[in-house]
Amino acid sequence: MQTRDPAELQSHGLEDLEEDLAAALPQTQGSSFYPLIRRWALHVVPFLLLGAAVFVLWREFHEVKPADVAASMRAWGYGDTLAALGLSAASFTLMGLVEWLGLRWAGARLPIPPALAGSFLANAIGHTLGANLLVSGAVRARFYSRYGVTLKEVAATTVFHGVSFAVGLSTLAGVSLLIGGSSDAVRIAAPVASGVGIVLLGAVAFYVALCGTLKRPLKGFGHSLKLPSWRVALAQIALGAVDNAVAAGIIWSLLPEGSMSYFSFVGAYAPSVVIGLISHVPGGVGVFEGSLSTLLAGVPAAPLAAAFLGYRIAFFLLPLLVAALALMGDAVRQRRTA
């Protein structure tokens, strides 16, 4: 796998880095038939899901007045607002710890502070712009190049982060569906919730068992991937589950008090996050909200719309603004130094 020295990475353009990372990351296609399907799916599926989301959002919120949403936001008070901002900061900190663990697993021995900074920049931009693997990987490559981290290590860290998110979300969703899936506050049939919860937890357990027993790298499509140890896999699950739990708490904390239990809410939140991701719509905007509003029952429309808006501000817009300002400041500093 090709690597570049730090000086070359610094001068490398963002588009070039994305192409290099696309070559370094594990491929998912085999024959020429599957890339064709994938291209069509990436063009058609986002429009279909976005169209469905627009219809669902119109159906749920077309009678809501902006004044009602503003009143619901004022009802949060300082406590709920600070709680949402604090939960967002805690989620990005947990993602930074996953980043640091992934860098060490990939062979890059960085201290925690630059790992936290690199993770924040990559995730704040990747979450909002979509194409998370390539976009966040390119941002990582530009930032970590000053520390001598190679593209191979960046690609491994990006994959590690994605797997941590997946197994963490699966664990949280599985537990939540088993505990709160039968609640009347969520439009998911109890047998379906229990069955999906068992399957998700079983898949996570299989991942840990695979990490503990399979010592040789997995090979396929011209790439090889070495699994972490079972101890590292457990750390991935723990950090990923807590991170997703904290992120879900942002919206839940902004809902009217007593609307539903936390685990019932997460039972609807987790599948909505997945639908938003597979839609390939940047940030899952509209698709995530449409799915979640469909699965939730009994939450008034205006407070729910206000919670969605607060979530987007606290977890997407504000981090993106801070990351953009940080990157601009870093670019100015590097130009002056040069």
Side-chain angles (χ1 to χ4, degrees), residues 185-217:
V186 180
R187 296 188 180 101
I188 302 177
V192 174
S194 300
V196 173
I198 292 172
V199 170
L200 289 174
L201 293 179
V204 173
F206 176 75
Y207 171 70
V208 176
L210 199 63
C211 291
T213 57
L214 191 63
K215 302 304 180 183
R216 62 180 183 274

Side-chain angles (χ1 to χ4, degrees), residues 79-96:
D80 290 342
T81 303
L82 291 176
L85 294 175
L87 289 169
S88 178
S91 177
F92 277 96
T93 302
L94 288 165
M95 283 186 272

